[in-house]
Amino acid sequence: MSTVNESTGRSSVPEIGVVIPLYWSAATIGTLVERIDTVLKEQRLTYEIVVVDDGSGDDTWDVVESLLPRFPGLRGLRLTRNFGQQAALAVGLEATTANWVFTMDADLQDDPAHFPRMLEAAHAGADVVLAQWTDAVGTRSARLSSKLFYRVFNRLTGVGLPPGTGTYRVMSRRVVDHFLALPDRTEFFGGMIAWFGFPMTTVPVVRHERTHGKTGYSLRRRYALATSALVSFSTIPLKIAAYFGLIVCAGSALLGLVVVVLRFAGVIEQAGFAGIMVAVLFMSGTIMLSTGILGFYLGSLIKATSQRPVGVISQDTGSRLEQ
Ligand code: UDP
Ligand code: MG
């Protein structure tokens, strides 16, 4: 880790970086760092582990400090308060200079024993290798909501995020650099990385059950994350009202026609109630439609003001004009 490059006089860049957000992780972080150290030493890889204490209320930070003398490759960052996992990840990624960067959870559910297989897949030509769980882990409602989320997310955004994947992954330097250049990098991490479109693959892994403490994500927090992920990647929800409005307007116009025909055919004597219903439906449809139209304008405004790159370059031959 601390080898110094003689020509530059700087510490050399570690081959592997591992970024881990910590939230009430005092019970697990010691074991996790030890396991990572063992695996990477076996592989003879230089590494740095960046742990980011995201305002834990337990003695997570004290444990991190107590680990420092034993692991020179360990670096601790402590946030002033709880900013959330996505923000903690972004802070950790800003701190590492490594060539390949792992991100993972702190609760021992993600096992560092998979590092070698994931790196192998990366070296075979993928910029992003996602650990994909082969088994069902977590409560029924968590599993169900996650499944639903992936479906809706992929459908609305067209990003193509493999289901059963989470934070646990390894990314090439160029992916990390692209991520760090994003203006809104505290949004949904997994979605952002997939959105770039660099070669991405999955490696099947067994995910352990959580053995210590409880999840840092309540259902409410999960819901908040899911909605903000959808909103930051898709303007379709803004426009839904327009489609509904159109359907209601068309439906009520048709209904109105039916009422008129029945009236003149003498089937009904007075339009009365039916007439009022048609008018009410048509008006509500018009209001929905105009709300939806506002959504279209808002959508293009969001697109124009978002500072995300318009496209991501994967290869560049460089300018070949004579100087
Ligand atoms: N986490 C965080 N800040 C938070 C909540 C969670 O940094 O406010 C981290 C936590 O330390 C862990 C990861 O996010 O490394 C995943 O959290 P958790 O295991 O609680 O979520 P679950 O696996 O239940 O989805
Ligand atoms: Mg977990």
Side-chain angles (χ1 to χ4, degrees), residues 20-23 25 54 82 84-85 88 104-107 109 207 210 214-217 221-222:
I20 313 167
L22 306 179
Y23 189 58
S25 308
D54 184 22
N82 180 245
Q85 182 192 5
M104 65 195 306
D105 289 356
D107 54 6
Q109 285 187 282
R207 196 188 198 207
R210 184 182 251 279
K214 60 180 172 61
T215 172
Y217 280 100
R221 261 187 114 166
R222 255 179 236 285

Side-chain angles (χ1 to χ4, degrees), residues 107-146:
D107 54 6
L108 297 177
Q109 285 187 282
D110 301 335
D111 193 337
H114 303 303
F115 277 15
R117 273 168 60 223
M118 292 167 74
L119 282 174
E120 218 170 275
H123 295 325
D127 278 85
V128 181
V129 180
L130 304 170
Q132 189 171 38
W133 310 313
T134 51
D135 49 347
V137 167
T139 62
R140 241 180 97 85
S141 75
R143 286 205 315 263
L144 222 80
S145 55
S146 141

